[in-house]
Amino acid sequence: MDLRAGDSWGMLACLCTVLWHLPAVPALNRTGDPGPGPSIQKTYDLTRYLEHQLRSLAGTYLNYLGPPFNEPDFNPPRLGAETLPRATVNLEVWRSLNDKLRLTQNYEAYSHLLCYLRGLNRQAATAELRHSLAHFCTSLQGLLGSIAGVMAALGYPLPQPLPGIEPTWAPGPAHSDFLQKMDDFWLLKELQTWLWRSAKDFNRLKKKMQPPAAAVTLHLEAHGF
Amino acid sequence: MAEMEGEGLRATSKAEVGNQMAAPVPWACCAVLAAAAAVVYTQRHSPQEAPHVQYERLGSDVTLPCGTANWDAAVTWRVNGTDLASDLLNGSQLVLHGLELGHSGLYACFHRDSWHLRHQVLLHVGLPPREPVLSCRSNTYPKGFYCSWHLPTPTYIPNTFNVTVLHGSKIMVCEKDPALKNRCHIRYMHLFSTIKYKVSISVSNALGHNATAITFDEFTIVKPDPPENVVARPVPSNPRRLEVTWQTPSTWPDPESFPLKFFLRYRPLILDQWQHVELSDGTAHTITDAYAGKEYIIQVAAKDNEIGTWSDWSVAAHATPWTEEPRHLTTEAQAPETTTSTTSSLAPLPTTKICDTGELGSGGGPSIPFLISVPVTLALAAAATTTSSLLI
């Protein structure tokens, strides 16, 4: 199997271990928590904001990659990019995820995706692209912090970095420009899909945590002045 | 052989006569016997059994040979039992030019003298299929989606469709709809997939073949059914309010995990311009800026909160805001009775002034805020006295 496409991810994985714990810092400062409800709502809102931001960013970046990547019908097979966290999940499995697992999967996914995005930023050719990517990375960092906050409020530990990541790496055979672009394409696609999934994940969490008082106030508005 | 043929014909005519004479005998019984006799005779003596089925293209020319008969054989052609003129013949072959749909039918050629049936052709005039129109939609997200198809123009002959669904390299089953024959259903096994779905359809009939395919992401085809049971009610003591309630479409399987947002539009019947309100949750809304006394038409649409497109508009609900009952009608009714030809608008009753102000309001929006119902009538009366003089 051709491993050349995956090598860039391997190189970045090492970098990711260093950056892993950075988003955890904001979560430790929370005191006097009113409950996880508002922070779940905030996390949900962040995923929507990021999804909108990504739409314009992806459009610009895919145009920069050029055809066929910016064609709407582009439908390549999923080769390489093996280490990208995949949003796709069996319907029943997704439904039955417990809160801790749901949050953990989101947290781990965005940690990896953030790391890869930073790698993308380094390679980007134009200053405008680098600026847009940097802005998006900052927002994504905020999302990670928000998820960490929810996990802390619910008493769940933050996930540890995955074992088996080599501390040193040897630069693999230089893989083609096209394969690199394929990796970039899949990164953006996976990021977009994860943001859609997260919206649904946080919806589920929001419904579970919803205090009963909110339902009462809605009724008052409908019948009174 | 000719004698046998004559017997066959006589047998059928006898059965027909029997129909008229033996009234108590059920006619169905006689018809079955006659048919059986005819079949036996034709099978024994005709060289062809079942008619040859033939499909020809609309507008084309066709030459029908009389089976294995020689070109110079003396034959007569009939279509659906009606004789055809001999000028259509080229020897023993029937020639039809510029086929029309009316040419479809059962053609039979007979030996001219013996009336021996030589050959039968069941002719169907039609067209090869054009490129089918295929579309897919998920109104039951995340359960699955369905695809439906049709031909842009009819072929007039039977068509068979074959649908294949690919998710990446994996083939998915598309189950036929039990009621609709141009629809099939696919169940999602995985959600949040980055791999596109490709649905291909091929259509073929006796005259040709065509195909098309569409590719899409899981999220782009999500479109719920319209909200159900949209009801609009006036609010008592509130002449500018209408309370609207609806239900999430029953086909949407999981509104808890996949909540819908709604879009409401309303207008008075007399105007063309819609007002719009987008609602992020809840299945009720109170319109607070309705024009008093005007009948409204209200519709609601639904969309998944994050993905896909808006549903079609719901069935419309109609309602008129609450209006105050005329209070002086019983006491002052005696006075206008002497002048029955004049309309009530000439008499300065406070009740009619509410209607007049309503007419004004439809022009450009009243400036008086209608917050509490009781002072409103006083304010209306005050405004009406000043404006009614302008009207007249």
Side-chain angles (χ1 to χ4, degrees), chain B residues 134-174:
Chain B
L134 175 65
S135 65
C136 299
R137 173 181 162 220
S138 176
N139 62 339
T140 55
Y141 193 75
K143 269 207 185 136
F145 63 97
Y146 70 84
C147 295
S148 54
W149 55 88
H150 66 272
L151 289 173
T153 51
T155 59
Y156 310 103
I157 55 178
N159 308 299
T160 47
F161 295 90
N162 192 6
V163 177
T164 38
V165 180
L166 278 178
H167 184 209
S169 55
K170 193 170 145 217
I171 296 174
M172 297 183 79
V173 173
C174 196

mmCIF file of all heavy atoms in Angstrom, chain B residues 134-174:
data_model
loop_
_atom_site.group_PDB
_atom_site.id
_atom_site.type_symbol
_atom_site.label_atom_id
_atom_site.label_comp_id
_atom_site.label_asym_id
_atom_site.label_seq_id
_atom_site.Cartn_x
_atom_site.Cartn_y
_atom_site.Cartn_z
ATOM 1 N N LEU B 134 -33.573 12.227 -12.612
ATOM 2 C CA LEU B 134 -33.377 11.515 -11.343
ATOM 3 C C LEU B 134 -33.123 12.517 -10.234
ATOM 4 O O LEU B 134 -32.344 13.467 -10.421
ATOM 5 C CB LEU B 134 -32.168 10.584 -11.489
ATOM 6 C CG LEU B 134 -31.678 9.804 -10.268
ATOM 7 C CD1 LEU B 134 -32.715 8.804 -9.815
ATOM 8 C CD2 LEU B 134 -30.373 9.085 -10.617
ATOM 9 N N SER B 135 -33.762 12.323 -9.106
ATOM 10 C CA SER B 135 -33.470 13.185 -7.954
ATOM 11 C C SER B 135 -33.571 12.376 -6.675
ATOM 12 O O SER B 135 -34.337 11.409 -6.601
ATOM 13 C CB SER B 135 -34.441 14.362 -7.916
ATOM 14 O OG SER B 135 -35.744 13.905 -7.696
ATOM 15 N N CYS B 136 -32.775 12.760 -5.692
ATOM 16 C CA CYS B 136 -32.781 12.063 -4.411
ATOM 17 C C CYS B 136 -32.974 13.075 -3.288
ATOM 18 O O CYS B 136 -32.559 14.235 -3.408
ATOM 19 C CB CYS B 136 -31.469 11.313 -4.183
ATOM 20 S SG CYS B 136 -31.141 10.055 -5.418
ATOM 21 N N ARG B 137 -33.591 12.606 -2.215
ATOM 22 C CA ARG B 137 -33.907 13.523 -1.130
ATOM 23 C C ARG B 137 -34.004 12.759 0.176
ATOM 24 O O ARG B 137 -34.455 11.609 0.206
ATOM 25 C CB ARG B 137 -35.242 14.182 -1.467
ATOM 26 C CG ARG B 137 -35.786 15.031 -0.372
ATOM 27 C CD ARG B 137 -37.107 15.614 -0.801
ATOM 28 N NE ARG B 137 -37.793 16.057 0.397
ATOM 29 C CZ ARG B 137 -39.079 15.928 0.628
ATOM 30 N NH1 ARG B 137 -39.834 15.371 -0.279
ATOM 31 N NH2 ARG B 137 -39.603 16.345 1.738
ATOM 32 N N SER B 138 -33.585 13.400 1.249
ATOM 33 C CA SER B 138 -33.720 12.767 2.550
ATOM 34 C C SER B 138 -34.708 13.575 3.373
ATOM 35 O O SER B 138 -34.375 14.664 3.845
ATOM 36 C CB SER B 138 -32.359 12.704 3.261
ATOM 37 O OG SER B 138 -32.515 12.175 4.563
ATOM 38 N N ASN B 139 -35.934 13.069 3.508
ATOM 39 C CA ASN B 139 -36.912 13.724 4.385
ATOM 40 C C ASN B 139 -37.027 12.964 5.703
ATOM 41 O O ASN B 139 -37.870 13.279 6.535
ATOM 42 C CB ASN B 139 -38.279 13.827 3.697
ATOM 43 C CG ASN B 139 -38.847 12.461 3.371
ATOM 44 O OD1 ASN B 139 -38.109 11.476 3.295
ATOM 45 N ND2 ASN B 139 -40.140 12.377 3.165
ATOM 46 N N THR B 140 -36.169 11.946 5.866
ATOM 47 C CA THR B 140 -36.210 11.124 7.076
ATOM 48 C C THR B 140 -34.810 11.030 7.688
ATOM 49 O O THR B 140 -34.432 10.006 8.240
ATOM 50 C CB THR B 140 -36.701 9.696 6.746
ATOM 51 O OG1 THR B 140 -35.843 9.168 5.720
ATOM 52 C CG2 THR B 140 -38.135 9.702 6.267
ATOM 53 N N TYR B 141 -34.046 12.100 7.570
ATOM 54 C CA TYR B 141 -32.694 12.110 8.120
ATOM 55 C C TYR B 141 -32.753 11.926 9.630
ATOM 56 O O TYR B 141 -33.569 12.569 10.284
ATOM 57 C CB TYR B 141 -32.003 13.429 7.772
ATOM 58 C CG TYR B 141 -30.516 13.418 8.012
ATOM 59 C CD1 TYR B 141 -29.661 12.739 7.139
ATOM 60 C CD2 TYR B 141 -29.964 14.052 9.118
ATOM 61 C CE1 TYR B 141 -28.292 12.718 7.357
ATOM 62 C CE2 TYR B 141 -28.607 14.039 9.335
ATOM 63 C CZ TYR B 141 -27.771 13.377 8.461
ATOM 64 O OH TYR B 141 -26.421 13.364 8.683
ATOM 65 N N PRO B 142 -31.942 11.064 10.229
ATOM 66 C CA PRO B 142 -30.829 10.310 9.646
ATOM 67 C C PRO B 142 -31.181 8.882 9.223
ATOM 68 O O PRO B 142 -30.283 8.073 9.038
ATOM 69 C CB PRO B 142 -29.843 10.270 10.809
ATOM 70 C CG PRO B 142 -30.722 10.165 12.019
ATOM 71 C CD PRO B 142 -31.989 10.903 11.697
ATOM 72 N N LYS B 143 -32.451 8.557 9.069
ATOM 73 C CA LYS B 143 -32.780 7.174 8.735
ATOM 74 C C LYS B 143 -32.311 6.785 7.343
ATOM 75 O O LYS B 143 -31.749 5.710 7.149
ATOM 76 C CB LYS B 143 -34.296 6.967 8.817
ATOM 77 C CG LYS B 143 -34.769 6.514 10.166
ATOM 78 C CD LYS B 143 -36.051 5.721 10.055
ATOM 79 C CE LYS B 143 -36.567 5.389 11.440
ATOM 80 N NZ LYS B 143 -38.007 5.602 11.553
ATOM 81 N N GLY B 144 -32.598 7.648 6.365
ATOM 82 C CA GLY B 144 -32.215 7.276 5.010
ATOM 83 C C GLY B 144 -32.666 8.305 4.011
ATOM 84 O O GLY B 144 -33.013 9.444 4.375
ATOM 85 N N PHE B 145 -32.651 7.934 2.752
ATOM 86 C CA PHE B 145 -33.120 8.832 1.717
ATOM 87 C C PHE B 145 -33.828 8.027 0.626
ATOM 88 O O PHE B 145 -33.779 6.796 0.635
ATOM 89 C CB PHE B 145 -31.969 9.670 1.130
ATOM 90 C CG PHE B 145 -30.877 8.890 0.420
ATOM 91 C CD1 PHE B 145 -30.887 8.745 -0.962
ATOM 92 C CD2 PHE B 145 -29.818 8.330 1.131
ATOM 93 C CE1 PHE B 145 -29.872 8.058 -1.618
ATOM 94 C CE2 PHE B 145 -28.800 7.644 0.488
ATOM 95 C CZ PHE B 145 -28.828 7.507 -0.899
ATOM 96 N N TYR B 146 -34.498 8.743 -0.263
ATOM 97 C CA TYR B 146 -35.145 8.046 -1.379
ATOM 98 C C TYR B 146 -34.773 8.738 -2.677
ATOM 99 O O TYR B 146 -34.405 9.913 -2.676
ATOM 100 C CB TYR B 146 -36.673 7.993 -1.201
ATOM 101 C CG TYR B 146 -37.381 9.315 -1.362
ATOM 102 C CD1 TYR B 146 -37.744 9.803 -2.612
ATOM 103 C CD2 TYR B 146 -37.715 10.071 -0.243
ATOM 104 C CE1 TYR B 146 -38.395 11.010 -2.759
ATOM 105 C CE2 TYR B 146 -38.370 11.276 -0.377
ATOM 106 C CZ TYR B 146 -38.722 11.744 -1.627
ATOM 107 O OH TYR B 146 -39.348 12.942 -1.763
ATOM 108 N N CYS B 147 -34.850 7.983 -3.747
ATOM 109 C CA CYS B 147 -34.602 8.540 -5.078
ATOM 110 C C CYS B 147 -35.830 8.297 -5.931
ATOM 111 O O CYS B 147 -36.454 7.230 -5.845
ATOM 112 C CB CYS B 147 -33.380 7.878 -5.725
ATOM 113 S SG CYS B 147 -31.853 8.241 -4.846
ATOM 114 N N SER B 148 -36.185 9.283 -6.714
ATOM 115 C CA SER B 148 -37.292 9.076 -7.640
ATOM 116 C C SER B 148 -36.900 9.580 -9.020
ATOM 117 O O SER B 148 -36.009 10.419 -9.162
ATOM 118 C CB SER B 148 -38.569 9.750 -7.138
ATOM 119 O OG SER B 148 -38.340 11.093 -6.861
ATOM 120 N N TRP B 149 -37.567 9.037 -10.011
ATOM 121 C CA TRP B 149 -37.184 9.308 -11.395
ATOM 122 C C TRP B 149 -38.407 9.337 -12.277
ATOM 123 O O TRP B 149 -39.475 8.818 -11.934
ATOM 124 C CB TRP B 149 -36.225 8.221 -11.888
ATOM 125 C CG TRP B 149 -36.793 6.847 -11.734
ATOM 126 C CD1 TRP B 149 -37.567 6.163 -12.622
ATOM 127 C CD2 TRP B 149 -36.656 5.980 -10.600
ATOM 128 N NE1 TRP B 149 -37.905 4.943 -12.111
ATOM 129 C CE2 TRP B 149 -37.378 4.795 -10.881
ATOM 130 C CE3 TRP B 149 -35.997 6.093 -9.368
ATOM 131 C CZ2 TRP B 149 -37.436 3.746 -9.980
ATOM 132 C CZ3 TRP B 149 -36.061 5.047 -8.477
ATOM 133 C CH2 TRP B 149 -36.781 3.891 -8.777
ATOM 134 N N HIS B 150 -38.237 9.955 -13.443
ATOM 135 C CA HIS B 150 -39.293 9.911 -14.450
ATOM 136 C C HIS B 150 -38.658 10.247 -15.788
ATOM 137 O O HIS B 150 -37.525 10.744 -15.845
ATOM 138 C CB HIS B 150 -40.418 10.893 -14.114
ATOM 139 C CG HIS B 150 -40.008 12.327 -14.183
ATOM 140 N ND1 HIS B 150 -39.473 13.000 -13.125
ATOM 141 C CD2 HIS B 150 -40.047 13.222 -15.209
ATOM 142 C CE1 HIS B 150 -39.211 14.238 -13.484
ATOM 143 N NE2 HIS B 150 -39.542 14.412 -14.753
ATOM 144 N N LEU B 151 -39.395 9.967 -16.833
ATOM 145 C CA LEU B 151 -38.917 10.315 -18.174
ATOM 146 C C LEU B 151 -39.519 11.663 -18.556
ATOM 147 O O LEU B 151 -40.694 11.903 -18.307
ATOM 148 C CB LEU B 151 -39.339 9.242 -19.185
ATOM 149 C CG LEU B 151 -38.617 7.906 -19.066
ATOM 150 C CD1 LEU B 151 -39.241 6.888 -20.001
ATOM 151 C CD2 LEU B 151 -37.135 8.070 -19.385
ATOM 152 N N PRO B 152 -38.714 12.524 -19.174
ATOM 153 C CA PRO B 152 -39.244 13.847 -19.505
ATOM 154 C C PRO B 152 -40.362 13.799 -20.542
ATOM 155 O O PRO B 152 -41.245 14.657 -20.530
ATOM 156 C CB PRO B 152 -38.023 14.599 -20.039
ATOM 157 C CG PRO B 152 -37.053 13.550 -20.449
ATOM 158 C CD PRO B 152 -37.305 12.375 -19.595
ATOM 159 N N THR B 153 -40.299 12.817 -21.458
ATOM 160 C CA THR B 153 -41.377 12.664 -22.441
ATOM 161 C C THR B 153 -41.792 11.193 -22.464
ATOM 162 O O THR B 153 -40.973 10.310 -22.231
ATOM 163 C CB THR B 153 -40.925 13.071 -23.865
ATOM 164 O OG1 THR B 153 -39.708 12.393 -24.166
ATOM 165 C CG2 THR B 153 -40.721 14.566 -23.978
ATOM 166 N N PRO B 154 -43.062 10.916 -22.750
ATOM 167 C CA PRO B 154 -43.503 9.513 -22.724
ATOM 168 C C PRO B 154 -42.969 8.725 -23.910
ATOM 169 O O PRO B 154 -42.657 9.290 -24.966
ATOM 170 C CB PRO B 154 -45.033 9.611 -22.790
ATOM 171 C CG PRO B 154 -45.308 10.930 -23.391
ATOM 172 C CD PRO B 154 -44.166 11.835 -23.066
ATOM 173 N N THR B 155 -42.840 7.395 -23.708
ATOM 174 C CA THR B 155 -42.379 6.521 -24.785
ATOM 175 C C THR B 155 -43.537 5.732 -25.388
ATOM 176 O O THR B 155 -43.398 5.184 -26.467
ATOM 177 C CB THR B 155 -41.345 5.499 -24.270
ATOM 178 O OG1 THR B 155 -41.975 4.723 -23.242
ATOM 179 C CG2 THR B 155 -40.116 6.171 -23.718
ATOM 180 N N TYR B 156 -44.649 5.691 -24.713
ATOM 181 C CA TYR B 156 -45.866 4.977 -25.136
ATOM 182 C C TYR B 156 -45.723 3.470 -25.154
ATOM 183 O O TYR B 156 -46.640 2.767 -25.534
ATOM 184 C CB TYR B 156 -46.369 5.473 -26.497
ATOM 185 C CG TYR B 156 -46.480 6.976 -26.555
ATOM 186 C CD1 TYR B 156 -45.519 7.730 -27.231
ATOM 187 C CD2 TYR B 156 -47.506 7.642 -25.913
ATOM 188 C CE1 TYR B 156 -45.597 9.111 -27.263
ATOM 189 C CE2 TYR B 156 -47.586 9.025 -25.941
ATOM 190 C CZ TYR B 156 -46.627 9.758 -26.615
ATOM 191 O OH TYR B 156 -46.704 11.120 -26.638
ATOM 192 N N ILE B 157 -44.557 2.968 -24.782
ATOM 193 C CA ILE B 157 -44.367 1.499 -24.692
ATOM 194 C C ILE B 157 -43.731 1.207 -23.338
ATOM 195 O O ILE B 157 -43.196 2.111 -22.705
ATOM 196 C CB ILE B 157 -43.502 0.959 -25.854
ATOM 197 C CG1 ILE B 157 -42.145 1.679 -25.926
ATOM 198 C CG2 ILE B 157 -44.257 1.082 -27.175
ATOM 199 C CD1 ILE B 157 -41.247 1.145 -27.028
ATOM 200 N N PRO B 158 -43.787 -0.043 -22.887
ATOM 201 C CA PRO B 158 -43.266 -0.338 -21.550
ATOM 202 C C PRO B 158 -41.765 -0.081 -21.429
ATOM 203 O O PRO B 158 -40.999 -0.377 -22.350
ATOM 204 C CB PRO B 158 -43.567 -1.827 -21.364
ATOM 205 C CG PRO B 158 -44.561 -2.170 -22.386
ATOM 206 C CD PRO B 158 -44.390 -1.231 -23.521
ATOM 207 N N ASN B 159 -41.357 0.486 -20.265
ATOM 208 C CA ASN B 159 -39.940 0.744 -19.975
ATOM 209 C C ASN B 159 -39.534 0.000 -18.711
ATOM 210 O O ASN B 159 -40.349 -0.166 -17.816
ATOM 211 C CB ASN B 159 -39.700 2.235 -19.708
ATOM 212 C CG ASN B 159 -40.258 3.113 -20.793
ATOM 213 O OD1 ASN B 159 -39.854 3.027 -21.936
ATOM 214 N ND2 ASN B 159 -41.198 3.964 -20.425
ATOM 215 N N THR B 160 -38.281 -0.416 -18.670
ATOM 216 C CA THR B 160 -37.768 -0.979 -17.413
ATOM 217 C C THR B 160 -36.638 -0.094 -16.914
ATOM 218 O O THR B 160 -35.821 0.385 -17.690
ATOM 219 C CB THR B 160 -37.239 -2.418 -17.597
ATOM 220 O OG1 THR B 160 -36.414 -2.459 -18.755
ATOM 221 C CG2 THR B 160 -38.367 -3.410 -17.742
ATOM 222 N N PHE B 161 -36.632 0.140 -15.601
ATOM 223 C CA PHE B 161 -35.629 0.990 -14.960
ATOM 224 C C PHE B 161 -34.749 0.147 -14.053
ATOM 225 O O PHE B 161 -35.225 -0.779 -13.411
ATOM 226 C CB PHE B 161 -36.307 2.065 -14.113
ATOM 227 C CG PHE B 161 -37.109 3.048 -14.910
ATOM 228 C CD1 PHE B 161 -38.448 2.827 -15.170
ATOM 229 C CD2 PHE B 161 -36.513 4.202 -15.406
ATOM 230 C CE1 PHE B 161 -39.179 3.752 -15.898
ATOM 231 C CE2 PHE B 161 -37.241 5.124 -16.131
ATOM 232 C CZ PHE B 161 -38.580 4.896 -16.383
ATOM 233 N N ASN B 162 -33.496 0.524 -13.993
ATOM 234 C CA ASN B 162 -32.564 -0.177 -13.120
ATOM 235 C C ASN B 162 -31.748 0.863 -12.361
ATOM 236 O O ASN B 162 -31.060 1.674 -12.962
ATOM 237 C CB ASN B 162 -31.658 -1.073 -13.968
ATOM 238 C CG ASN B 162 -30.855 -2.049 -13.118
ATOM 239 O OD1 ASN B 162 -31.054 -2.122 -11.912
ATOM 240 N ND2 ASN B 162 -29.953 -2.769 -13.751
ATOM 241 N N VAL B 163 -31.840 0.829 -11.030
ATOM 242 C CA VAL B 163 -31.172 1.836 -10.196
ATOM 243 C C VAL B 163 -30.040 1.185 -9.421
ATOM 244 O O VAL B 163 -30.231 0.128 -8.822
ATOM 245 C CB VAL B 163 -32.178 2.460 -9.203
ATOM 246 C CG1 VAL B 163 -31.488 3.436 -8.287
ATOM 247 C CG2 VAL B 163 -33.306 3.144 -9.946
ATOM 248 N N THR B 164 -28.877 1.832 -9.434
ATOM 249 C CA THR B 164 -27.776 1.354 -8.578
ATOM 250 C C THR B 164 -27.275 2.513 -7.721
ATOM 251 O O THR B 164 -27.188 3.646 -8.179
ATOM 252 C CB THR B 164 -26.577 0.814 -9.395
ATOM 253 O OG1 THR B 164 -26.406 1.621 -10.544
ATOM 254 C CG2 THR B 164 -26.772 -0.613 -9.800
ATOM 255 N N VAL B 165 -26.976 2.196 -6.470
ATOM 256 C CA VAL B 165 -26.498 3.194 -5.517
ATOM 257 C C VAL B 165 -25.117 2.784 -5.029
ATOM 258 O O VAL B 165 -24.924 1.677 -4.541
ATOM 259 C CB VAL B 165 -27.450 3.312 -4.310
ATOM 260 C CG1 VAL B 165 -26.932 4.358 -3.332
ATOM 261 C CG2 VAL B 165 -28.853 3.666 -4.771
ATOM 262 N N LEU B 166 -24.158 3.704 -5.194
ATOM 263 C CA LEU B 166 -22.788 3.440 -4.738
ATOM 264 C C LEU B 166 -22.390 4.448 -3.681
ATOM 265 O O LEU B 166 -22.594 5.649 -3.863
ATOM 266 C CB LEU B 166 -21.808 3.578 -5.913
ATOM 267 C CG LEU B 166 -21.637 2.404 -6.856
ATOM 268 C CD1 LEU B 166 -20.662 2.782 -7.961
ATOM 269 C CD2 LEU B 166 -21.100 1.186 -6.117
ATOM 270 N N HIS B 167 -21.800 3.940 -2.612
ATOM 271 C CA HIS B 167 -21.244 4.831 -1.598
ATOM 272 C C HIS B 167 -19.748 4.560 -1.608
ATOM 273 O O HIS B 167 -19.278 3.593 -1.022
ATOM 274 C CB HIS B 167 -21.851 4.524 -0.230
ATOM 275 C CG HIS B 167 -21.395 5.471 0.823
ATOM 276 N ND1 HIS B 167 -21.292 5.120 2.154
ATOM 277 C CD2 HIS B 167 -21.021 6.766 0.763
ATOM 278 C CE1 HIS B 167 -20.882 6.168 2.854
ATOM 279 N NE2 HIS B 167 -20.716 7.179 2.021
ATOM 280 N N GLY B 168 -19.008 5.409 -2.328
ATOM 281 C CA GLY B 168 -17.604 5.097 -2.565
ATOM 282 C C GLY B 168 -17.571 3.889 -3.478
ATOM 283 O O GLY B 168 -18.090 3.923 -4.588
ATOM 284 N N SER B 169 -17.018 2.794 -2.985
ATOM 285 C CA SER B 169 -16.981 1.577 -3.796
ATOM 286 C C SER B 169 -18.019 0.560 -3.321
ATOM 287 O O SER B 169 -18.160 -0.508 -3.903
ATOM 288 C CB SER B 169 -15.591 0.962 -3.729
ATOM 289 O OG SER B 169 -15.243 0.748 -2.373
ATOM 290 N N LYS B 170 -18.771 0.926 -2.286
ATOM 291 C CA LYS B 170 -19.717 -0.029 -1.706
ATOM 292 C C LYS B 170 -21.086 0.115 -2.371
ATOM 293 O O LYS B 170 -21.613 1.211 -2.498
ATOM 294 C CB LYS B 170 -19.835 0.264 -0.200
ATOM 295 C CG LYS B 170 -20.519 -0.816 0.590
ATOM 296 C CD LYS B 170 -20.357 -0.551 2.080
ATOM 297 C CE LYS B 170 -21.623 -1.015 2.795
ATOM 298 N NZ LYS B 170 -22.034 -0.198 3.903
ATOM 299 N N ILE B 171 -21.669 -1.024 -2.770
ATOM 300 C CA ILE B 171 -22.994 -1.004 -3.399
ATOM 301 C C ILE B 171 -24.046 -1.050 -2.300
ATOM 302 O O ILE B 171 -23.958 -1.866 -1.376
ATOM 303 C CB ILE B 171 -23.176 -2.211 -4.352
ATOM 304 C CG1 ILE B 171 -22.175 -2.097 -5.498
ATOM 305 C CG2 ILE B 171 -24.599 -2.262 -4.904
ATOM 306 C CD1 ILE B 171 -22.165 -3.295 -6.421
ATOM 307 N N MET B 172 -25.029 -0.151 -2.398
ATOM 308 C CA MET B 172 -26.097 -0.131 -1.411
ATOM 309 C C MET B 172 -27.406 -0.569 -2.053
ATOM 310 O O MET B 172 -27.636 -0.334 -3.236
ATOM 311 C CB MET B 172 -26.255 1.270 -0.822
ATOM 312 C CG MET B 172 -25.006 1.701 -0.070
ATOM 313 S SD MET B 172 -25.213 3.286 0.704
ATOM 314 C CE MET B 172 -26.155 2.849 2.140
ATOM 315 N N VAL B 173 -28.266 -1.160 -1.217
ATOM 316 C CA VAL B 173 -29.540 -1.663 -1.734
ATOM 317 C C VAL B 173 -30.562 -0.537 -1.769
ATOM 318 O O VAL B 173 -30.692 0.213 -0.797
ATOM 319 C CB VAL B 173 -30.050 -2.805 -0.822
ATOM 320 C CG1 VAL B 173 -31.438 -3.229 -1.234
ATOM 321 C CG2 VAL B 173 -29.091 -3.977 -0.856
ATOM 322 N N CYS B 174 -31.264 -0.423 -2.887
ATOM 323 C CA CYS B 174 -32.341 0.549 -2.982
ATOM 324 C C CYS B 174 -33.655 -0.219 -3.029
ATOM 325 O O CYS B 174 -33.972 -0.859 -4.040
ATOM 326 C CB CYS B 174 -32.165 1.416 -4.241
ATOM 327 S SG CYS B 174 -33.159 2.917 -4.205
#
